[in-house]
């Protein structure tokens, strides 16, 4: 309901289809730049630090789930066809973000084209979005209990012993994600003259929520609200953010490339430069639309591992620590889409300068 209403407002509220086309083009360009940097950085850090070297394979336990995930490897042509929903209610019930974004975009265009007849629907969408903001706030009150229970279950099931042999992978991923944030996101903030520290202060709550819950969707309502408080126009926030949740998963993309190299290193199977370049191209396509598939990162990694002739069973090695890895990559996904929204807004000349950003933040803090 939140994504649907936000997109309808963002598109129908603008009413300028030429502007929306320009906005969409700039958004996709930024997404591709960020994705490419994330993939190259993930492979580079994995090749440099060699997190898989010296890891004993040991007992992998039941690997049937991993084998099943590999068989679900995404067919790119089928994925393009599947973007078009057969039944939007069914798409919403399954949380298929790509189909929701596709339907909502055309619905918003139709609502704008309907003129006066479409205004009551747009007004209703605005009411739904405000209700969903409050609804999510209620859920957030219970979030600490759920986070405690989830982490306790993970440690209780796999034990602390699982963390020791894979500590190098954990540290390598966190180091790569921090480097990604510094190089690309901070660099982009400097280029478009946005104070990254101010931006971080504005979105610290949704960022912390995404990290602790390992769910970027949980942080979406709060993130939309905070970016609007920061001064980003509503039509840009409600267009770029939901689209980014499907096409700009920087943390997950970086992790996927690192995980494939990690498995190759565990089994002592070297990948030459040509294979690594092909890996970048493969994951650049395979990671698009990951949010539309449950357990998408594991499916993407398993499918890619199988395509490159690596042992699929190796994916089971990282499942025990996936929760810890997921927290970091989810937070990076949120940061990536936050900065993408701000960059596109600056490209459009729709975000005020730093002085006004400070004023927005001051008013927000006082409120």
């Amino acid at each position: 309901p939140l994504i649907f209403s936000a997109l309808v407002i963002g598109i129908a509220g603008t009413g300028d289809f030429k502007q929306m086309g320009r906005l969409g083009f700039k958004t996709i360009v930024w997404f591709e730049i960020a994705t490419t940097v994330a993939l190259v950085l993930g492979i580079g850090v994995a090749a440099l630090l060699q997190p898989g070297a010296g890891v004993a394979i040991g007992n992998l336990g039941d690997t049937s789930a991993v084998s099943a995930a590999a068989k679900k490897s995404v067919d790119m042509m089928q994925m393009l066809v599947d973007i078009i929903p057969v039944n939007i209610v069914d798409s919403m019930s399954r949380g298929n973000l790509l189909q929701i974004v596709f339907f909502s975009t055309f619905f918003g265009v139709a609502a704008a084209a309907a003129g006066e007849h479409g205004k009551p629907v747009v007004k209703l969408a605005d009411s739904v979005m405000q209700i969903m903001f409050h609804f999510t706030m209620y859920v957030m009150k219970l979030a600490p209990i759920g986070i405690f229970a989830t982490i306790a279950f993970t440690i209780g099931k796999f034990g602390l012993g699982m963390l020791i042999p894979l500590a190098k992978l954990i540290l390598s991923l966190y180091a790569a994600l921090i480097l990604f944030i510094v190089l690309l996101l901070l660099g982009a903030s400097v280029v478009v003259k946005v104070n990254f520290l101010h931006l971080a202060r504005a979105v610290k709550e949704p960022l912390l929520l995404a990290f602790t819950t390992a769910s970027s969707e949980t942080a979406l309502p709060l993130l939309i609200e905070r970016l609007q408080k920061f001064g980003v126009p509503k039509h840009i926030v409600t267009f770029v953010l939901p689209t980014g949740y499907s096409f700009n998963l920087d943390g997950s993309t970086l992790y996927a490339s690192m995980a494939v190299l990690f498995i190759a290193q565990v089994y002592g199977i070297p990948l030459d430069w040509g294979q690594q370049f092909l890996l970048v191209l493969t994951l650049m396509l395979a990671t698009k639309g990951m949010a539309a598939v449950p357990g998408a990162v594991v499916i993407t990694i398993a499918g890619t591992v199988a395509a490159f002739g690596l042992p699929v069973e190796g994916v089971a090695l990282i499942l025990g620590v996936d929760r810890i890895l997921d927290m970091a990559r989810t937070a990076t996904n949120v940061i990536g889409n936050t900065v993408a929204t701000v960059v596109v807004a600056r490209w459009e000349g729709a975000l005020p300068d730093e002085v006004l950003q400070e004023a927005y933040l001051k008013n927000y803090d006082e409120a």
Side-chain angles (χ1 to χ4, degrees):
L2 176 67
I3 294 173
F4 171 76
S5 58
L7 275 172
V8 169
I9 293 169
I11 294 172
T14 304
D16 187 346
F17 300 137
K18 185 178 180 181
Q19 182 188 23
M20 291 308 300
R22 185 176 68 246
L23 187 64
F25 175 76
K26 291 177 179 178
T27 301
I28 295 300
V29 167
W30 175 258
F31 287 170
E32 287 306 314
I33 293 172
T35 300
T36 303
V37 171
L39 285 170
V40 172
L41 192 58
I43 291 176
V45 172
L48 178 65
L49 300 181
Q50 298 282 314
V55 175
I57 298 174
N59 180 20
L60 298 178
D62 183 9
T63 60
S64 59
V66 176
S67 300
K71 294 176 182 176
K72 292 182 183 178
S73 181
V74 180
D75 181 340
M76 291 307 302
M77 187 58 66
Q78 188 59 42
M79 191 195 82
L80 292 175
V81 174
D82 288 342
I83 290 177
I84 304 172
V86 176
N87 184 327
I88 188 58
V89 177
D90 177 62
S91 300
M92 288 184 173
S93 69
R94 291 184 290 108
N96 192 316
L97 273 180
L98 280 176
Q99 294 184 358
I100 295 171
V101 168
F102 182 90
F103 178 85
S104 303
T105 299
F106 276 88
F107 191 92
V109 169
E116 290 296 323
H117 296 288
K119 286 185 178 180
V121 176
V122 176
K123 187 175 180 180
L124 175 63
D126 185 54
S127 298
V128 170
M129 187 170 72
Q130 296 303 323
I131 292 170
M132 288 306 299
F133 282 158
H134 289 283
F135 183 90
T136 309
M137 290 301 295
Y138 299 147
V139 176
M140 285 174 58
K141 300 294 184 183
L142 298 174
I145 300 173
I147 295 162
F148 172 81
T150 303
I151 295 177
F153 170 78
T154 302
I155 298 299
K157 180 178 180 181
F158 295 102
L160 289 171
M162 173 63 79
L163 303 181
I164 298 173
L166 298 179
K168 194 172 181 181
L169 173 63
I170 297 171
L171 294 175
S172 297
L173 179 66
Y174 274 70
L177 292 175
I178 292 172
L179 186 60
F180 172 79
I181 292 170
V182 172
L183 288 181
L184 183 69
L185 306 188
L186 183 56
S189 298
V190 172
V191 170
V192 297
K193 294 183 175 61
V194 174
N195 190 308
F196 187 78
L197 295 178
H198 290 170
L199 181 60
R201 190 177 72 177
V203 300
K204 60 184 178 182
E205 291 178 5
L207 180 59
L208 182 61
L209 184 65
F211 179 79
T212 51
T213 60
S215 170
S216 52
E217 284 80 5
T218 308
L220 180 59
L222 201 56
L223 190 58
I224 291 174
E225 182 183 3
R226 294 296 187 266
L227 283 174
Q228 289 183 32
K229 295 285 187 183
F230 190 68
V232 182
K234 179 186 287 188
H235 73 277
I236 293 180
V237 175
T238 53
F239 178 82
V240 178
L241 271 185
T243 307
Y245 268 49
S246 290
F247 291 101
N248 189 45
L249 303 175
D250 298 327
S252 299
T253 300
L254 189 153
Y255 169 66
S257 63
M258 179 174 284
V260 173
L261 249 68
F262 170 80
I263 293 168
Q265 292 164 5
V266 168
Y267 287 92
I269 304 173
L271 297 179
D272 59 33
W273 288 106
Q275 289 173 308
Q276 291 182 32
F277 178 72
L278 184 59
L279 176 62
V280 170
L281 295 180
T282 302
L283 288 175
M284 192 178 294
L285 295 174
T287 53
K288 292 293 181 285
M290 280 198 298
V293 185
V297 177
V298 174
I299 292 173
T300 301
I301 294 171
T304 306
V305 164
F308 278 78
L310 301 172
V312 178
E313 294 76 13
V315 180
L317 279 170
I318 60 178
L319 293 183
V321 294
D322 187 65
R323 176 71 188 188
I324 298 173
L325 303 175
D326 196 8
M327 293 166 70
R329 65 180 184 249
T330 300
T332 305
N333 291 342
V334 171
I335 294 174
N337 285 312
T338 297
V339 176
T341 305
V342 171
V343 167
V344 172
R346 289 292 286 181
W347 279 353
E348 284 286 290
L351 183 65
D353 59 28
E354 188 172 321
V355 176
L356 288 179
Q357 290 167 24
E358 290 183 35
Y360 272 107
L361 281 177
K362 184 179 180 182
N363 292 335
Y364 164 68
D365 288 339
E366 289 175 354

